[in-house]
């Protein structure tokens, strides 16, 4: 491996230091070479903008003309307490998807994640320091986006996320490990939030009284979807649970959502979670961490496009009740995410990666501004989804 190609793993942002991942470039190379990657490893570089795992791009040279890429990830085991169960889910789910994609005449090496095993055959590598690593084949000729640049991209992401759920319709849910218990249980999220407020371990409660009130005023909302799932009014399905736009790869040539990635949270859930989380992130006119809240709103044109694409992608599997509840899915996923950012801020920012001191607070505020805007546009949102009944 050439000496001159080095990964920069850390970074200071405007005088504030991002916590260091204590891995030197040589260690990353040593870890990467444990996996069945082809050719000679030429470089390891940090990649993507995920909030949870540490992601690196591996560039390999097979011949002087032929190159290939992989994704190396350190699984965040503070967040995912059972990395073995998580990888078992991913191996099983990707094998299931690949089989279906093949049967449907698609390309299973590109339209689903491909886990590259460790040379001893296992799906992940555990370092002596207790960190967990995995490698995926890189999805070539495709991009993931952190903001909606073209409305049609958002539409295509909706079709792909809907279709993903449809493909997993007959996946045996009982085989899945619950990688994060109560992940979208908004009642539980509310309880954890109240505990963080009560403990006030960082002495930050006084500065976020408005935000705390915003949450408490909406406590009743937190019960709506949980109660409907519990009573069977809406079905439990196998869902992705983290459907933000940068968790899908869009094909350069066709513009279609070619591959759904970030499968760590594939678990039993509600279709409304997947729909709602995409609206939360992609239909927002501002970025998730925008400081200027006047830029935040729910873009109803994007809302229409996503709704259309998702319902099409689900291929007729959504029930009438689920369609009626789509606006509630969007509002609750946004409220929940804001509550999670605020809880993490109150607890000292140990869950989401942050790049500035008040990053989680900024993120929480955009989510609440988005919720407020949805409430103002509620009748219109209902009218839009009801046109699909
Ligand atoms: P996180 O859980 O931290 O969000 P992701 O699995 O979403 O991690 O990966 C972070 C980013 O890395 C993605 O948004 C995407 O840009 C890129 N990425 C992940 N897996 C692949 C892949 N197999 N091919 C190409 N890019 C990928
Ligand atoms: C995290 O992993 P990433 O960056 O795609 C989080 C989601 C949040 C999202 C907010 C496992 O998603 O639940 O909605 O940040 N993932 C996990 O941007 O907690
Ligand atoms: Mg991601």
């Amino acid at each position: 491996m050439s000496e001159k190609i080095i990964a920069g793993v850390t970074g200071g942002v405007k005088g504030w230091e991002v916590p260091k991942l204590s891995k030197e470039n040589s260690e990353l190379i040593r870890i990467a070479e444990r996996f069945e990657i082809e050719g000679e490893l030429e470089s390891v570089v940090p990649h993507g903008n995920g909030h949870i795992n540490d992601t690196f791009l591996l560039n390999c040279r097979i011949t002087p003309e032929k190159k290939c890429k992989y994704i190396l990830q350190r699984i965040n085991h503070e967040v995912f307490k059972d990395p073995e169960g998580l990888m078992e889910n991913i191996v099983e789910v990707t094998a299931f998807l690949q089989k279906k994609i093949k049967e449907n005449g698609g390309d299973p090496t590109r339209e689903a994640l491909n886990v590259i095993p460790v040379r001893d055959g296992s799906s992940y590598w555990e370092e002596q320091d207790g960190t967990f690593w995995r490698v995926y084949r890189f999805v070539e000729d495709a991009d993931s986006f952190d903001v909606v640049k073209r409305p049609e991209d958002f539409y295509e992401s909706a079709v792909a996320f809907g279709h993903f759920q449809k493909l997993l319709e007959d996946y045996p849910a009982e085989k899945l490990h619950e990688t994060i218990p109560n992940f979208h249980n908004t009642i539980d999220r509310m309880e954890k939030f109240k505990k963080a407020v009560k403990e006030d371990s960082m002495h930050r409660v006084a500065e976020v009284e408005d935000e705390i009130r915003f949450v408490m005023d909406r406590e009743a909302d937190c019960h709506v979807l949980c109660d409907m799932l519990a009573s069977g009014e809406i079905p439990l399905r196998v869902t992705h649970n983290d459907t933000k736009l940068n968790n899908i790869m869009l094909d350069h040539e066709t513009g279609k959502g070619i591959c759904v990635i970030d499968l760590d949270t594939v678990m039993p859930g509600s279709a409304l979670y997947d729909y709602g989380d995409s609206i939360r992130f992609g239909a927002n006119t501002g970025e998730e961490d925008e400081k200027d809240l006047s830029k935040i709103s729910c873009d109803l044109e994007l809302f229409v496009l996503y709704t259309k694409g998702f319902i099409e992608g689900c291929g007729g599997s959504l029930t009438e009740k689920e369609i009626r509840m789509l606006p509630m899915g969007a509002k609750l996923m946004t409220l929940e995410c804001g509550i999670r950012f605020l809880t993490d801020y109150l607890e000292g920012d140990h869950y989401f990666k942050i790049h500035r001191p008040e990053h989680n607070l900024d993120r929480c505020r955009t989510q609440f501004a988005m919720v407020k805007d949805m409430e103002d546009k509620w009748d219109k949102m209902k009218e839009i989804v009801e046109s699909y009944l």
Side-chain angles (χ1 to χ4, degrees), residues 187-199 208 211-216 338-340 342-344 346-347 368:
I187 301 174
D188 187 65
R189 292 286 181 190
M190 187 72 179
E191 288 313 310
K192 289 185 173 132
F193 164 73
K194 285 188 195 164
K195 184 167 174 275
V197 173
K198 198 166 163 211
E199 286 176 1
V208 294
E211 286 75 15
I212 294 173
R213 197 167 316 111
F214 188 92
V215 177
M216 296 316 298
I339 293 174
R340 292 173 63 198
L342 186 54
T343 305
D344 200 29
L346 291 172
E347 290 177 346
F368 293 168

Side-chain angles (χ1 to χ4, degrees), residues 14 43 55 63 98 127 152 208 217 233 239 285 340 388:
K14 289 185 187 146
S43 67
T55 303
T63 65
Q98 285 159 13
E127 274 282 279
E152 55 270 37
V208 294
D217 286 348
E233 255 186 288
T239 49
T285 49
R340 292 173 63 198
Y388 288 94

Side-chain angles (χ1 to χ4, degrees), residues 50-51 242 244 246-247 261-262:
H51 291 344
D242 189 1
K244 63 182 184 184
N246 63 15
N247 286 333
I261 60 170
D262 204 346

Side-chain angles (χ1 to χ4, degrees), residues 203-241:
H203 310 290
R204 290 176 171 176
V205 161
E207 65 176 289
V208 294
E209 277 177 0
D210 289 349
E211 286 75 15
I212 294 173
R213 197 167 316 111
F214 188 92
V215 177
M216 296 316 298
D217 286 348
R218 287 158 183 79
E219 185 163 11
D221 286 341
C222 291
H223 289 257
V224 176
L225 293 186
C226 291
D227 290 356
M228 290 178 104
L229 278 169
S231 68
E233 255 186 288
I234 54 171
L236 198 64
R237 301 176 183 276
V238 173
T239 49
H240 183 281
N241 296 305

